[in-house]
Amino acid sequence: QVQLVESGGGLVQAGGSLRLSCAASGRTFSSYAMGWFRQAPGKEREFVATITRGGGNLLYADSVKGRFTISRDNAKNTVYLQMNSLKPEDTAVYYCAASRSLGLENRDSRYDYWGQGTQVTVSS
C-alpha cells in the first residue's frame, strides 16, 4: 500500500511558476514509476508527465513539454513537478500517481495509487 500526498498548488499569474511535491509513504517508493495527471473542470483527467523508478526516463504530454519538469528523490520518497511559464489552460487539479510498471506509462489505468490532488489556478 502506498499513500500519496500532494502539495504546492495555488494561485499564480500567467507566466509564473509553481513546484508541486508528492510525498509517498512506505519503504518501496523506488519500486514505482510515478506520474502526474490533471483534471480541469468539465474535462477528462489527462496525463501530464511520468518518470521511471530510477528517474532515468521521462515522458511529457505535448502540451507541457519544455515548460514542466518531473523529477524524483527516492531518498526522500518524493516526486516533483516544476511548472514554468504557466498558462491559464494549465488550471486544474493536479494528481500524482504510482505505478508498478517498469516503463513509462501515460494511461491512468496503469496507475495503482493516487493522491487526493492539489489545485493549480493560473490567472490571465
Side-chain angles (χ1 to χ4, degrees):
Q1 188 81 359
V2 176
Q3 292 185 324
L4 304 172
V5 179
E6 302 97 335
S7 61
L11 174 64
V12 64
Q13 288 189 331
S17 298
L18 283 175
R19 188 175 83 152
L20 305 183
S21 298
C22 174
S25 65
R27 296 177 291 178
T28 59
F29 178 71
S30 60
S31 299
Y32 293 89
M34 299 298 297
W36 286 96
F37 289 77
R38 66 186 182 186
Q39 187 167 22
K43 294 188 176 181
E44 297 283 319
R45 184 166 58 191
E46 65 174 0
F47 166 76
V48 175
T50 184
I51 186 168
T52 48
R53 298 176 177 188
N57 289 290
L58 315 174
L59 179 67
Y60 296 95
D62 288 343
S63 59
V64 307
K65 202 173 294 183
R67 301 187 298 122
F68 290 11
T69 302
I70 188 172
S71 61
R72 68 189 295 163
D73 185 338
N74 286 346
K76 295 183 178 180
N77 284 8
T78 303
V79 62
Y80 305 97
L81 186 68
Q82 177 66 44
M83 306 186 294
N84 298 329
S85 302
L86 283 160
K87 305 174 182 180
E89 51 263 44
D90 294 318
T91 295
V93 177
Y94 283 71
Y95 300 89
C96 74
S99 170
R100 295 187 182 93
S101 174
L102 293 173
L104 296 166
E105 296 290 350
N106 62 359
R107 295 169 292 170
D108 56 6
S109 61
R110 296 290 292 169
Y111 286 80
D112 305 287
Y113 301 101
W114 292 83
Q116 82 290 347
T118 186
Q119 176 71 47
V120 170
T121 303
V122 184
S123 63
S124 55

